[in-house]
Amino acid sequence: MSINEKFSSIRKGLLEFLVLKIISADHVYAADILRELNATDFATQEGTLYPLLSKLRREELVDYEWKESEAGPPRKYYKLTAKGKEQLRETLDYWQKISSTVKSLGQK
Amino acid sequence: MNRVITINLNGNAYQLEESGYEALRAYLDHAARRLEGNPDKDEIIADIEQAIAEKFRAVLGVNKTVVITREVTEVIGAMGPVEDSSTEGKSVEATGQPQATGAKASERSNTTGAAENGPQGVRRLYRIYPEGAMLSGVCNGLAGYLNVDATLIRVGFVLLTLLWGLGVLLYLLMVVIVPIAVTPAEKSAAAGAAATAQEFIRRAKAGYYGMKTFHDKHAHREWKRKFKQEMRGWKHNFQREMYEGTYNWRQHWAPQSGQPHPKFWVGMGFTLMILKWVRLLFLFLGIYAVYSLATKGGVFGVLLPAGIPLWVGIVAIIVIYQLLTLPLKALQFSCYYHGMPPHACAPWLAGPFAGLIWLGFLVAVIWLADHYVPQIHEALKQLPPLLHQAVDAVQRWLERT
């Protein structure tokens, strides 16, 4: 089992966190989220992203507004809600804790 | 040379080679099945359609007007399979299982929804007439929809009629609202059959893959207007009957000898107050239930089972509301018209007593439901934060205005 496979479920679990982090830039379009993710190991596709975005919206972590686009129909631009910002902050803190744990273990 | 099919994706026309169209149709059908039970299904599908449209636009140009099959498959590949993260882990792969049995169909009412009800045929409520219908096919259609014997439904309606003629009213309402199954596709959908190809054609005709905004909005408005009219008529009739009923009752039972006991009025006032508050509470709960059903697709954490259209849920809430408040209304009316039987041992107690019995009954029902139905237990546990949210929403609204 390669490292890549071993970490596939972890990557899957982290996706929501990363999507929140990308949306924290404010007024993000779904295609931009994909572009940003696809440059990393967390590459994903519309088929996964759209259901995830709708779940985040149902949980009131993100919200969107419609904006006219130069070509085609209006697009949805996503942004974090107060609850989403709070959750992102907590997750970031927790992530710091985990990564310092990973660093400190076995060092003695 | 290949045939070309024109499709409408989120308001723009695209021309696809026929086999590419088949592939896209299969992909969207599959996506819709995977999202079955997700309250945002239509929205996600619309998002996906728009993303596909954008990718198509990227491959088209002034001299290239048709999306060829290879490009369609590439776009589908880039989109990836639709995975519903909210039902992750439980989701079963779509198997193309042809038909749901009765037992399976009843499972559809579970709260987690999505996962279990794989790719069943879309079931729709129609009146089935004249095949096996007695009057207008309402019971027959309901029987097909719920997968039970039509006779049981008819008995149910007769029993409901004993409750202030509710059965008759409900029946008439359904005659007006529920359409008759005419086409073969509608007939099979009425009986819950999976007519995959036919079902797709029907959906395409109904604008499932485009043009839905105008069609739906118009039809929706028309339906809403009719529905409101019906409800007004229903309420008016009900109140008239109620009034006449109490009037007649009074004629028969009115005390022959003078005024009732003075304490009677104190008891009446108290009961009326309690009844009013309880009714107000029910009204708020009812309005909230309809609101949350329309916006979140569920009531108090209980999701609308897949395949049941929103309006059926709303009608169900209204019927439940009416059922719960009927006895309250009856009590209130009898309080107003103080038609107490003259030989009751303590007439001034009768009103409050009946009110207390009703409250006790209600508490008992809620208690039993809380103990034996886990979903209701969960829903009740969620109530306080929900109330907080409702209060917050009202406050925000007040601040804005």
Side-chain angles (χ1 to χ4, degrees):
Chain A
M1 201 187 220
S2 68
I3 296 275
N4 195 27
E5 281 171 54
K6 274 187 188 169
F7 275 82
S8 77
S9 65
I10 292 180
R11 278 202 305 273
K12 220 172 182 180
L14 279 176
L15 191 62
E16 183 179 323
F17 167 40
L18 293 183
V19 167
L20 280 182
K21 195 152 185 299
I22 294 172
I23 295 176
S24 72
D26 242 17
H27 300 298
V28 189
Y29 182 50
D32 298 333
I33 302 179
L34 281 172
R35 198 173 309 124
E36 213 165 317
L37 282 176
N38 286 348
T40 68
D41 279 354
F42 292 88
T44 188
Q45 294 173 302
E46 277 95 340
T48 311
L49 183 68
Y50 285 119
L52 178 62
L53 283 173
S54 98
K55 192 192 91 163
L56 291 175
R57 195 183 60 84
R58 260 202 321 274
E59 290 169 356
E60 294 174 356
L61 299 174
V62 305
D63 202 2
Y64 62 76
E65 51 191 59
W66 292 98
K67 269 194 192 159
E68 295 297 329
S69 64
E70 61 283 3
R75 297 164 156 189
K76 283 177 183 173
Y77 282 83
Y78 287 87
K79 60 170 190 235
L80 289 189
T81 62
K83 200 173 153 194
K85 281 178 191 154
E86 175 65 20
Q87 174 133 336
L88 178 63
R89 201 184 50 75
E90 278 170 22
T91 325
L92 277 171
D93 285 350
Y94 189 64
W95 179 252
Q96 294 293 342
K97 215 175 109 192
I98 293 177
S99 67
S100 61
T101 310
V102 170
K103 260 184 215 157
S104 68
L105 284 178
Q107 293 285 313
K108 283 161 209 159
Chain B
M1 192 178 73
N2 282 321
R3 215 151 71 93
V4 160
I5 291 177
T6 307
I7 59 159
N8 177 350
L9 282 176
N10 246 31
N12 279 311
Y14 292 89
Q15 292 184 310
L16 267 58
E17 280 185 342
E18 194 172 13
S19 50
Y21 163 78
E22 296 290 336
L24 182 63
R25 195 201 77 194
Y27 176 77
L28 286 175
D29 264 0
H30 182 73
R33 282 204 301 267
R34 290 302 289 261
L35 294 169
E36 201 62 60
N38 187 318
D40 295 326
K41 177 181 156 190
D42 289 347
E43 199 182 337
I44 298 173
I45 296 278
D47 284 345
I48 287 173
E49 282 184 7
Q50 181 166 351
I52 292 174
E54 274 174 27
K55 287 186 198 294
F56 282 169
R57 211 174 299 135
V59 301
L60 294 175
V62 188
N63 295 316
K64 187 178 186 309
T65 52
V66 175
V67 186
I68 61 170
T69 305
R70 185 175 52 77
E71 288 162 341
V72 175
T73 13
E74 275 171 12
V75 165
I76 291 174
M79 295 293 297
V82 171
E83 286 169 45
D84 191 354
S85 44
S86 57
T87 56
E88 190 108 335
K90 292 174 288 178
S91 64
V92 278
E93 185 54 41
T95 51
Q97 202 181 355
Q99 185 24 27
T101 59
K104 193 81 188 280
S106 65
E107 274 173 27
R108 289 153 65 103
S109 57
N110 64 26
T111 49
T112 45
E116 290 86 341
N117 16 286
Q120 293 163 352
V122 172
R123 200 179 281 259
R124 267 164 200 286
L125 186 57
Y126 285 108
R127 288 191 280 133
I128 304 177
Y129 181 85
E131 305 92 335
M134 275 184 95
L135 289 174
S136 68
V138 166
C139 295
N140 205 17
L142 256 182
Y145 187 71
L146 299 172
N147 217 341
V148 292
D149 199 286
T151 314
L152 275 180
I153 306 268
R154 291 186 182 118
V155 170
F157 266 101
V158 171
L159 285 180
L160 263 184
T161 306
L162 297 181
L163 270 178
W164 294 279
L166 199 66
V168 173
L169 290 167
L170 207 63
Y171 189 92
L172 291 178
L173 204 68
M174 288 184 73
V175 171
V176 179
I177 294 176
V178 181
I180 293 182
V182 182
T183 66
E186 282 174 348
K187 278 182 181 163
S188 62
T196 22
Q198 285 169 337
E199 173 59 16
F200 171 72
I201 293 163
R202 193 196 60 70
R203 275 202 228 168
K205 275 186 189 154
Y208 184 80
Y209 292 134
M211 297 197 31
K212 56 188 161 201
T213 34
F214 170 71
H215 173 85
D216 270 3
K217 217 186 242 168
H218 185 74
H220 184 75
R221 205 182 298 139
E222 180 66 10
W223 175 77
K224 217 161 79 179
R225 196 182 58 79
K226 266 190 185 162
F227 180 73
K228 272 189 187 158
Q229 217 172 16
E230 289 297 319
M231 288 309 283
R232 269 200 298 273
W234 187 6
K235 194 176 157 196
H236 183 76
N237 275 346
F238 173 77
Q239 282 175 344
R240 209 197 54 222
E241 269 173 37
M242 200 65 129
Y243 180 78
E244 280 173 3
T246 41
Y247 181 78
N248 290 340
W249 197 51
R250 249 167 81 209
Q251 293 297 306
H252 282 287
W253 291 99
Q256 273 84 28
S257 53
Q259 284 289 310
H261 196 281
K263 277 183 191 166
F264 172 81
W265 296 111
V266 180
M268 277 299 136
F270 184 68
T271 319
L272 269 177
M273 194 183 71
I274 290 185
L275 287 175
K276 267 187 182 160
W277 280 109
V278 175
R279 261 186 77 184
L280 204 67
L281 185 74
F282 272 114
L283 187 68
F284 277 125
L285 278 180
I287 291 170
Y288 177 77
V290 171
Y291 170 76
S292 81
L293 190 73
T295 53
K296 295 178 202 138
V299 180
F300 305 134
V302 182
L303 291 180
L304 193 67
I308 294 184
L310 177 67
W311 66 267
V312 172
I314 293 178
V315 170
I317 288 175
I318 291 167
V319 169
I320 291 169
Y321 170 77
Q322 292 287 349
L323 278 178
L324 282 174
T325 51
L326 266 175
L328 289 172
K329 280 186 190 167
L331 277 175
Q332 251 177 315
F333 268 85
S334 66
C335 284
Y336 277 129
Y337 298 107
H338 60 87
M340 286 293 152
H343 45 72
C345 52
W348 68 88
L349 270 179
F353 188 64
L356 282 179
I357 288 181
W358 166 240
L359 277 179
F361 169 72
L362 203 68
V363 168
V365 166
I366 293 176
W367 187 83
L368 280 173
D370 185 36
H371 266 245
Y372 294 106
V373 187
Q375 285 97 324
I376 292 195
H377 181 70
E378 291 300 314
L380 284 179
K381 270 207 303 202
Q382 281 186 341
L383 262 188
L386 278 175
L387 288 178
H388 272 293
Q389 279 171 13
V391 171
D392 281 350
V394 171
Q395 268 175 350
R396 273 202 300 275
W397 182 75
L398 282 177
E399 276 165 21
R400 266 213 307 273
T401 49

